[in-house]
Amino acid sequence: MSKKLHDKLKSLKENGALNRTPEAVEDELFREGDFFDPHDLMQVKYEMVRRVEKENWKVVRASKAFGYSRPFFYDVQKALKKEGLPGLIPRKRGPKA
C-alpha cells in the first residue's frame, strides 16, 4: 500500500468517512480509474443516489451495485435531500449527551 493511500485511508477513518466494505462496491466507476474511491463513504453514498436520480437506475440495482440495502439507500436519499452534501457525513453513534 502506498503512503498516499495509507494517509487517505487514515484520514477517512479519523473522520468517520471510511467505507468499511469497499469490496462490496461493484459499480464500474469505482472499479476503473483513480477518481472514484470505494473507500470514501461519502462518495459512495452520493454516487448511489445520483445513479437513481440522474441515470434512472432502479433502487434495487443501485443498492446492490454499491453494497447496501434498499432501506439504507432511502435513508441516504432522505438525508441528502434534507441537508445536502453535509447530510452524507456519518453521524457519531451512541449517546448524544
Side-chain angles (χ1 to χ4, degrees):
M1 176 184 311
S2 72
K3 176 157 176 33
K4 184 178 178 180
L5 178 58
H6 179 278
D7 291 347
K8 179 178 182 179
L9 295 178
K10 182 180 175 188
S11 177
L12 288 170
K13 185 175 183 178
E14 287 172 354
N15 291 293
L18 180 65
N19 182 6
R20 297 183 190 275
T21 57
E23 68 282 350
V25 179
E26 298 174 353
D27 184 84
E28 63 268 9
L29 292 175
F30 287 82
R31 296 293 165 210
E32 304 168 356
D34 295 327
F35 181 77
F36 293 97
D37 184 355
H39 295 95
D40 187 333
L41 184 58
M42 289 182 60
Q43 191 177 49
V44 170
K45 288 177 176 181
Y46 178 83
E47 283 301 314
M48 179 175 65
V49 173
R50 190 191 67 77
R51 288 285 198 179
V52 170
E53 293 184 354
K54 301 297 181 192
E55 296 185 21
N56 299 314
W57 280 25
K58 300 287 183 196
V59 171
V60 103
R61 177 183 177 195
S63 298
K64 183 177 187 296
F66 288 89
Y68 291 102
S69 66
R70 286 178 36 235
F72 182 82
F73 169 86
Y74 290 116
D75 288 345
V76 170
Q77 184 183 46
K78 180 180 176 182
L80 186 58
K81 284 184 180 187
K82 182 178 178 184
E83 302 174 46
L85 289 175
L88 301 181
I89 299 170
R91 303 280 192 262
K92 292 190 182 219
R93 297 181 195 177
K96 306 298 184 228

